[in-house]
Amino acid sequence: MEAFFQTYFDFQIIEDNFGYVLEGFWYTIRLSIVGGILSLIWGLILAVLRQLPGRGLAPVRWVAIAYIDALRGVPLLLVIFLISGGLGALASEGVIPEGLGIPRWFGLPDPFWYGTIAITLTYGAYMAEVYRAGIEAVPRGQVEAARSLGMSHGQAMRFVIVPQAVRKVVPPLLNDFIALMKDTSLVSVLGLVETVQAGRDVYSETFNASALTLGAFLFLAVTIPLARFVDWLIKKQDMKIQRGIP
Amino acid sequence: MTEPIISIRDLRKSYGDLDVLTGIDLDIDRGEVVCVIGPSGSGKSTLLRCINLLEEPGGGTIALSGTTVFGDGKPQNLDELRREVGMVFQQFNLFPHMSATENVSIAQVKVRGRSRKEADEKSRELLDRVGLGDKVDEYPDRLSGGQQQRVAIARALAMDPEVMLFDEVTSALDPELVKGVLDVMRGLAESGMTMISVTHEMGFAREVSDRTIFMDGGVIVEQGKPDDVLGNPSHERTKQFLGLVLAN
């Protein structure tokens, strides 16, 4: 029991490395927020492309569907390698400018941006599916009312459908965000010292897992309140539905 | 004889093997109030939805004030049509995330290009006209069905349409709320609005319409003065239908 406690909860090691792990967690937070916001936007764009009307735009719909299927079906880890390896190689061959191939925007290292791009590409596909469910849950009569007032398809989507769809899908989007936040740890394979990598660094130095425990608690400090918040939102929506409010 | 505001020739519509409209010819004059009655499945709602091209017809032509809006198998001048034709639905279809005023204003601003202030002023004026002057800031979920339907009428009127289409607008309402909506429609008819109303309200048809149309099986079976069609129908199917409707 003593040994177990020592391995996972050595307060001396936690104290000594608190700053180091916290620095890693700060990367985790920034990856989550930047990747999360970009995924939300990219997902909405994909969902809207997927819903474009008419026969002429069918190719656009097919491309959107193929993209969503592909990115949902491939491990994020693989996408991270594809992006970092691919962009780096293309830049060194001069196909794309170095600023794009080895991005160091806003003073953040290129593994951060490779990771952000990969997360956005993958989670954008997941979130597109969530948005789609929301768009399809808006009653058909809403589009008809908007169109009968002379709005174009685009105006109907922008002012009538999407605002209602987004309200319906806030809880599942937040669930995806929780998953996204945990998956940012995969970016450690590119050498970014985020929370998990920081814990591993301490482990290989001390042969003690306490810094990893600290990392776990840092994650939980964000994900548990978020999960409770999602539950609360769902409960609030259910009450509205029970009261017969659309 | 002035040109009809709506002119429909040989309008057809089918869903797969099911023929819903099998050749409708219909002219509506400016200022005319027309009520369309008939059993469910007779194609009356589909006719109305085809006029607004919410359903794409399978064939025939539709002209609005002489401008073809459907012909050669495809919609033409769709935006113009939708701007000039207002529609009110059975299920109201108010935008739930907007207040009554915003519901009435949004298309004025986005489609008609009015300023927000101008649109809101007009919206409040119209809401007042349909008896909701004290509800302008309420959201749809705080309004009764009858009130929601009157907001929907105001919303369609805000676009200054030439024609108003009403698709069974009182069918989803509790009986005590029907009168308020019909009163608004009556006032609209008296003001000279061209109206086509698919309805089960025989009393309304009789009292307000200039012409009553009975549809069954995707065709117009008979039409004429409401007193004739409803009081002294010449077709067996009309008699049967009215017998069933008026029995209860």
XYZ file of all heavy atoms in Angstrom, chain B residues 87-153:
535
model
N -47.520 33.481 -47.756
C -48.149 32.211 -47.410
C -48.240 32.052 -45.899
O -47.324 32.407 -45.166
C -47.357 31.050 -48.009
C -47.976 29.706 -47.721
S -47.772 28.577 -49.116
C -48.627 27.144 -48.495
N -49.380 31.521 -45.450
C -49.576 31.216 -44.035
C -49.860 29.715 -43.929
O -50.621 29.177 -44.727
C -50.740 32.034 -43.444
C -50.838 31.816 -41.941
C -50.558 33.523 -43.753
N -49.220 29.076 -42.930
C -49.242 27.614 -42.853
C -50.132 27.123 -41.718
O -50.358 27.825 -40.727
C -47.822 27.084 -42.618
C -46.836 27.471 -43.687
C -46.161 28.695 -43.618
C -46.574 26.639 -44.758
C -45.245 29.063 -44.584
C -45.660 26.992 -45.732
C -45.000 28.210 -45.649
N -50.538 25.875 -41.846
C -51.340 25.247 -40.793
C -50.606 25.254 -39.451
O -51.195 25.506 -38.415
C -51.655 23.806 -41.211
C -52.551 23.074 -40.235
C -52.877 21.668 -40.722
O -52.532 21.268 -41.821
N -53.570 20.924 -39.891
N -49.295 24.965 -39.507
C -48.519 24.858 -38.255
C -47.797 26.166 -37.897
O -46.797 26.134 -37.191
C -47.496 23.723 -38.370
C -48.105 22.349 -38.563
C -48.953 21.913 -37.382
O -48.786 22.429 -36.275
N -49.869 20.990 -37.609
N -48.266 27.280 -38.395
C -47.732 28.631 -38.113
C -46.300 28.818 -38.608
O -46.005 29.782 -39.272
C -47.788 29.010 -36.623
C -48.876 28.351 -35.821
C -48.622 27.794 -34.580
C -50.175 28.263 -36.315
C -49.628 27.178 -33.855
C -51.188 27.659 -35.590
C -50.911 27.105 -34.368
N -45.396 27.892 -38.170
C -43.987 27.973 -38.582
C -43.336 29.304 -38.237
O -42.541 29.829 -38.997
C -43.835 27.715 -40.087
C -44.239 26.309 -40.476
O -44.348 25.449 -39.615
N -44.471 26.080 -41.750
N -43.680 29.840 -37.067
C -42.946 31.026 -36.613
C -41.521 30.607 -36.273
O -41.267 29.453 -35.929
C -43.613 31.630 -35.376
C -44.945 32.330 -35.597
C -45.390 33.000 -34.304
C -44.866 33.355 -36.713
N -40.584 31.558 -36.370
C -39.204 31.271 -36.009
C -39.096 31.353 -34.479
O -39.234 32.442 -33.913
C -38.263 32.267 -36.689
C -38.467 32.345 -38.188
C -38.528 33.569 -38.836
C -38.623 31.186 -38.942
C -38.720 33.640 -40.211
C -38.816 31.240 -40.315
C -38.878 32.468 -40.950
N -38.847 30.212 -33.802
C -38.960 30.188 -32.339
C -37.880 30.991 -31.622
O -38.044 31.333 -30.462
C -38.840 28.699 -31.998
C -38.147 28.082 -33.154
C -38.530 28.892 -34.366
N -36.779 31.291 -32.333
C -35.683 32.003 -31.674
C -35.785 33.504 -31.870
O -34.854 34.235 -31.564
C -34.335 31.498 -32.202
C -34.188 31.626 -33.699
N -35.057 31.025 -34.574
C -33.291 32.284 -34.452
C -34.686 31.303 -35.812
N -33.615 32.069 -35.760
N -36.933 33.961 -32.361
C -37.111 35.401 -32.581
C -38.416 35.862 -31.928
O -39.395 35.120 -31.910
C -37.207 35.708 -34.076
C -35.985 35.334 -34.887
S -36.249 35.804 -36.616
C -34.917 34.889 -37.384
N -38.425 37.111 -31.442
C -39.636 37.691 -30.890
C -40.635 37.928 -32.023
O -40.294 37.816 -33.207
C -39.321 39.010 -30.195
O -39.007 39.991 -31.166
N -41.879 38.248 -31.628
C -42.913 38.494 -32.642
C -42.442 39.556 -33.638
O -42.535 39.374 -34.849
C -44.212 38.930 -31.962
N -41.914 40.663 -33.115
C -41.465 41.735 -34.007
C -40.348 41.259 -34.937
O -40.378 41.510 -36.139
C -40.959 42.944 -33.190
O -42.019 43.364 -32.323
C -40.556 44.085 -34.084
N -39.373 40.525 -34.365
C -38.269 40.037 -35.204
C -38.770 39.081 -36.282
O -38.278 39.088 -37.408
C -37.229 39.319 -34.335
C -36.417 40.264 -33.478
C -35.567 39.504 -32.457
O -36.120 38.670 -31.725
O -34.365 39.756 -32.422
N -39.753 38.250 -35.917
C -40.342 37.342 -36.900
C -40.886 38.118 -38.096
O -40.722 37.710 -39.241
C -41.481 36.544 -36.262
C -41.062 35.147 -35.861
O -40.977 34.255 -36.694
N -40.771 34.970 -34.580
N -41.548 39.232 -37.794
C -42.186 39.996 -38.863
C -41.152 40.846 -39.612
O -41.303 41.145 -40.793
C -43.319 40.879 -38.286
C -44.062 41.606 -39.392
C -44.299 40.026 -37.484
N -40.067 41.199 -38.920
C -39.088 42.130 -39.504
C -38.023 41.451 -40.364
O -37.543 42.034 -41.340
C -38.365 42.912 -38.399
O -39.241 43.835 -37.791
N -37.658 40.221 -40.011
C -36.430 39.626 -40.578
C -36.407 39.643 -42.107
O -35.441 40.093 -42.717
C -36.181 38.198 -40.013
C -34.939 37.557 -40.636
C -37.359 37.261 -40.201
C -33.682 37.884 -39.949
N -37.499 39.191 -42.739
C -37.479 39.134 -44.213
C -37.579 40.532 -44.824
O -37.066 40.776 -45.914
C -38.606 38.247 -44.724
N -38.236 41.455 -44.100
C -38.276 42.838 -44.598
C -36.858 43.376 -44.749
O -36.532 44.047 -45.721
C -39.023 43.744 -43.616
C -40.488 43.461 -43.446
C -41.107 44.530 -42.557
O -41.149 45.698 -42.903
N -41.581 44.119 -41.388
N -36.030 43.075 -43.738
C -34.660 43.587 -43.742
C -33.810 42.819 -44.756
O -33.125 43.417 -45.589
C -34.034 43.474 -42.329
C -32.563 43.863 -42.354
C -34.808 44.341 -41.348
N -33.879 41.479 -44.686
C -32.955 40.663 -45.487
C -33.391 40.531 -46.947
O -32.554 40.346 -47.820
C -32.816 39.269 -44.874
C -32.352 39.269 -43.430
C -30.997 39.935 -43.263
C -30.613 39.992 -41.786
N -29.399 40.817 -41.579
N -34.697 40.552 -47.198
C -35.164 40.354 -48.567
C -35.566 41.667 -49.221
O -35.174 41.971 -50.344
C -36.350 39.358 -48.600
C -36.865 39.176 -50.016
C -35.931 38.022 -48.003
N -36.347 42.482 -48.497
C -36.808 43.752 -49.055
C -35.770 44.862 -48.930
O -35.912 45.920 -49.525
C -38.092 44.208 -48.369
C -39.345 43.443 -48.797
C -39.837 43.922 -50.144
N -41.141 43.378 -50.466
C -41.527 43.037 -51.702
N -40.685 43.187 -52.702
N -42.717 42.565 -51.919
N -34.772 44.638 -48.086
C -33.719 45.634 -47.938
C -34.126 46.869 -47.160
O -33.511 47.928 -47.301
N -35.149 46.731 -46.313
C -35.525 47.878 -45.473
C -34.562 47.988 -44.299
O -33.935 47.005 -43.907
C -36.947 47.682 -44.937
C -38.000 47.786 -46.019
C -39.400 47.485 -45.499
N -40.312 47.375 -46.630
C -41.366 46.571 -46.676
N -41.673 45.826 -45.641
N -42.128 46.510 -47.747
N -34.488 49.197 -43.727
C -33.662 49.351 -42.530
C -34.375 48.672 -41.369
O -35.592 48.496 -41.383
C -33.446 50.829 -42.205
O -34.641 51.383 -41.691
N -33.602 48.290 -40.369
C -34.171 47.602 -39.205
C -35.253 48.463 -38.541
O -36.307 47.961 -38.159
C -33.025 47.282 -38.233
C -33.429 46.776 -36.879
C -34.103 45.430 -36.909
N -33.246 44.365 -37.410
C -33.632 43.073 -37.438
N -34.831 42.730 -37.015
N -32.822 42.158 -37.909
N -34.998 49.764 -38.468
C -35.930 50.672 -37.796
C -37.253 50.745 -38.560
O -38.335 50.628 -37.990
C -35.272 52.062 -37.720
C -36.022 53.083 -36.907
C -35.130 54.297 -36.633
C -35.946 55.469 -36.130
N -36.727 56.119 -37.200
N -37.104 50.924 -39.858
C -38.271 50.996 -40.744
C -39.090 49.704 -40.648
O -40.328 49.729 -40.516
C -37.748 51.177 -42.173
C -38.734 51.626 -43.216
C -38.075 51.646 -44.606
O -36.844 51.456 -44.703
O -38.793 51.817 -45.581
N -38.361 48.571 -40.677
C -39.026 47.262 -40.631
C -39.752 47.069 -39.304
O -40.910 46.645 -39.267
C -37.999 46.155 -40.848
N -39.071 47.411 -38.204
C -39.685 47.222 -36.884
C -40.934 48.077 -36.728
O -41.924 47.658 -36.124
C -38.677 47.558 -35.776
C -37.669 46.437 -35.577
O -37.860 45.355 -36.175
O -36.693 46.643 -34.827
N -40.883 49.278 -37.287
C -42.054 50.150 -37.218
C -43.243 49.513 -37.933
O -44.351 49.452 -37.414
C -41.728 51.492 -37.883
C -41.708 52.660 -36.917
C -41.003 53.858 -37.526
O -41.390 54.280 -38.630
O -40.035 54.355 -36.890
N -42.952 49.021 -39.132
C -44.010 48.374 -39.908
C -44.517 47.125 -39.192
O -45.718 46.846 -39.171
C -43.492 48.017 -41.307
C -44.592 47.500 -42.226
C -44.075 47.294 -43.633
C -45.156 46.673 -44.519
N -46.078 47.654 -45.093
N -43.586 46.376 -38.585
C -43.964 45.152 -37.877
C -44.925 45.456 -36.734
O -45.943 44.786 -36.566
C -42.720 44.450 -37.319
O -41.844 44.115 -38.365
N -44.582 46.489 -35.958
C -45.445 46.833 -34.824
C -46.812 47.285 -35.292
O -47.837 46.948 -34.704
C -44.769 47.906 -33.967
C -43.767 47.299 -32.991
C -43.300 48.318 -31.968
N -42.388 49.273 -32.563
C -41.066 49.091 -32.630
N -40.537 48.001 -32.118
N -40.289 49.980 -33.187
N -46.827 48.022 -36.399
C -48.083 48.483 -36.981
C -48.951 47.281 -37.393
O -50.150 47.216 -37.094
C -47.717 49.319 -38.212
C -48.764 50.229 -38.766
C -48.197 50.895 -40.025
O -47.236 51.686 -39.880
O -48.698 50.588 -41.124
N -48.310 46.306 -38.057
C -49.046 45.122 -38.516
C -49.508 44.258 -37.344
O -50.624 43.743 -37.335
C -48.179 44.290 -39.460
C -48.084 44.822 -40.890
C -46.953 44.147 -41.648
C -49.406 44.611 -41.618
N -48.629 44.109 -36.344
C -49.006 43.311 -35.176
C -50.189 43.969 -34.464
O -51.082 43.292 -33.959
C -47.813 43.154 -34.228
C -46.737 42.188 -34.741
C -45.458 42.286 -33.908
C -47.253 40.753 -34.725
N -50.180 45.287 -34.452
C -51.299 46.014 -33.870
C -52.573 45.724 -34.670
O -53.642 45.486 -34.111
C -50.982 47.516 -33.886
C -51.875 48.272 -32.918
O -52.060 47.761 -31.798
O -52.384 49.337 -33.302
N -52.422 45.703 -35.973
C -53.575 45.474 -36.850
C -54.186 44.081 -36.646
O -55.397 43.913 -36.781
C -53.117 45.651 -38.307
C -54.229 45.603 -39.307
C -53.725 46.107 -40.655
N -54.325 45.379 -41.747
C -53.846 45.337 -42.981
N -52.734 45.973 -43.282
N -54.466 44.671 -43.918
N -53.340 43.078 -36.339
C -53.894 41.742 -36.094
C -54.213 41.527 -34.610
O -54.418 40.396 -34.166
C -52.937 40.619 -36.593
C -52.723 40.725 -38.094
C -51.610 40.650 -35.843
N -54.249 42.637 -33.858
C -54.696 42.567 -32.473
C -53.641 42.112 -31.482
O -53.957 41.620 -30.409
N -52.363 42.280 -31.834
C -51.294 41.827 -30.940
C -50.364 42.975 -30.566
O -49.178 42.765 -30.313
C -50.495 40.695 -31.596
C -51.276 39.412 -31.862
C -50.444 38.442 -32.685
C -51.693 38.753 -30.557
N -50.921 44.177 -30.520
C -50.116 45.348 -30.205
C -49.401 45.255 -28.873
O -48.355 45.858 -28.675
N -49.951 44.419 -27.955
C -49.323 44.291 -26.631
C -48.388 43.092 -26.553
O -47.850 42.782 -25.500
C -50.403 44.187 -25.546
C -51.395 43.066 -25.826
O -51.508 42.660 -27.007
O -52.041 42.596 -24.881
N -48.173 42.386 -27.673
C -47.354 41.171 -27.633
C -46.108 41.288 -28.505
O -45.485 40.277 -28.833
C -48.168 39.969 -28.139
C -49.455 39.723 -27.397
C -49.213 39.031 -26.072
C -50.532 38.670 -25.423
N -50.353 38.231 -24.037
N -45.753 42.494 -28.907
C -44.709 42.651 -29.929
C -43.368 42.052 -29.528
O -42.594 41.620 -30.376
C -44.500 44.142 -30.319
C -45.711 44.665 -31.058
C -44.192 44.974 -29.095
N -43.082 42.009 -28.209
C -41.776 41.508 -27.787
C -41.814 40.063 -27.299
O -40.802 39.521 -26.859
C -41.203 42.405 -26.685
C -40.855 43.783 -27.228
O -40.390 43.859 -28.390
O -41.078 44.775 -26.514
N -42.984 39.436 -27.348
C -43.092 38.052 -26.866
C -42.454 37.077 -27.860
O -42.465 37.313 -29.067
C -44.563 37.659 -26.680
C -45.275 38.404 -25.570
C -44.866 37.964 -24.168
O -43.922 37.148 -24.040
O -45.485 38.451 -23.208
N -41.954 35.969 -27.317
C -41.464 34.898 -28.171
C -42.618 33.936 -28.460
O -43.555 33.838 -27.673
C -40.281 34.171 -27.513
C -38.999 34.947 -27.679
C -38.754 36.072 -26.893
C -38.071 34.619 -28.653
C -37.613 36.831 -27.070
C -36.922 35.364 -28.828
C -36.688 36.465 -28.038
O -35.570 37.220 -28.234
N -42.527 33.227 -29.586
C -43.642 32.350 -29.980
C -44.100 31.398 -28.876
O -45.298 31.142 -28.752
C -43.068 31.582 -31.172
C -42.131 32.556 -31.804
C -41.513 33.307 -30.651
N -43.149 30.872 -28.060
C -43.572 29.889 -27.054
C -44.422 30.507 -25.946
O -44.974 29.799 -25.116
C -42.363 29.127 -26.477
C -41.373 30.038 -25.777
O -41.734 31.180 -25.435
O -40.222 29.607 -25.576
N -44.516 31.833 -25.920
C -45.358 32.490 -24.923
C -46.705 32.908 -25.509
O -47.486 33.594 -24.848
C -44.646 33.735 -24.379
C -43.245 33.469 -23.873
C -43.214 33.222 -22.417
N -43.783 34.354 -21.696
C -44.081 34.328 -20.402
N -43.887 33.225 -19.723
N -44.574 35.390 -19.812
N -46.942 32.553 -26.766
C -48.181 32.949 -27.433
C -49.069 31.727 -27.660
O -48.577 30.618 -27.863
C -47.875 33.595 -28.786
C -47.041 34.872 -28.764
C -46.676 35.298 -30.178
C -47.787 35.996 -28.054
N -50.391 31.940 -27.640
C -51.315 30.852 -27.958
C -51.231 30.562 -29.457
O -50.680 31.342 -30.227
C -52.734 31.252 -27.597
O -53.221 32.205 -28.526
N -51.811 29.415 -29.852
C -51.813 29.062 -31.264
C -52.443 30.138 -32.126
O -51.919 30.509 -33.180
N -53.558 30.680 -31.647
C -54.249 31.720 -32.417
C -53.395 32.969 -32.556
O -53.336 33.589 -33.623
N -52.710 33.311 -31.457
C -51.832 34.496 -31.515
C -50.656 34.241 -32.452
O -50.277 35.109 -33.239
C -51.341 34.847 -30.103
C -52.454 35.384 -29.218
C -52.040 35.474 -27.759
O -51.152 34.757 -27.305
N -52.702 36.350 -27.014
N -50.096 33.030 -32.370
C -48.979 32.702 -33.266
C -49.416 32.802 -34.723
O -48.688 33.317 -35.568
C -48.477 31.280 -32.992
C -47.721 31.144 -31.704
C -47.026 29.792 -31.603
O -46.292 29.394 -32.482
N -47.274 29.081 -30.515
N -50.614 32.312 -34.999
C -51.066 32.337 -36.383
C -51.262 33.772 -36.862
O -50.999 34.086 -38.028
C -52.364 31.523 -36.513
C -52.756 31.176 -37.940
C -51.685 30.403 -38.687
O -50.604 30.900 -38.950
N -51.997 29.163 -39.030
N -51.709 34.657 -35.950
C -51.874 36.052 -36.361
C -50.523 36.723 -36.593
O -50.389 37.568 -37.485
C -52.716 36.804 -35.327
C -54.209 36.446 -35.472
C -55.070 37.216 -34.515
N -55.122 36.580 -33.204
C -55.381 37.229 -32.072
N -55.595 38.530 -32.083
N -55.433 36.576 -30.938
N -49.506 36.335 -35.793
C -48.152 36.840 -36.066
C -47.713 36.364 -37.460
O -47.140 37.126 -38.243
C -47.134 36.367 -35.004
C -45.721 36.791 -35.394
C -47.487 36.913 -33.637
N -48.022 35.094 -37.763
C -47.617 34.545 -39.069
C -48.287 35.305 -40.211
O -47.669 35.547 -41.257
C -47.977 33.059 -39.139
N -49.543 35.714 -39.999
C -50.233 36.504 -41.028
C -49.546 37.865 -41.181
O -49.261 38.320 -42.294
C -51.731 36.665 -40.687
C -52.439 35.300 -40.763
C -52.393 37.665 -41.632
C -53.882 35.315 -40.263
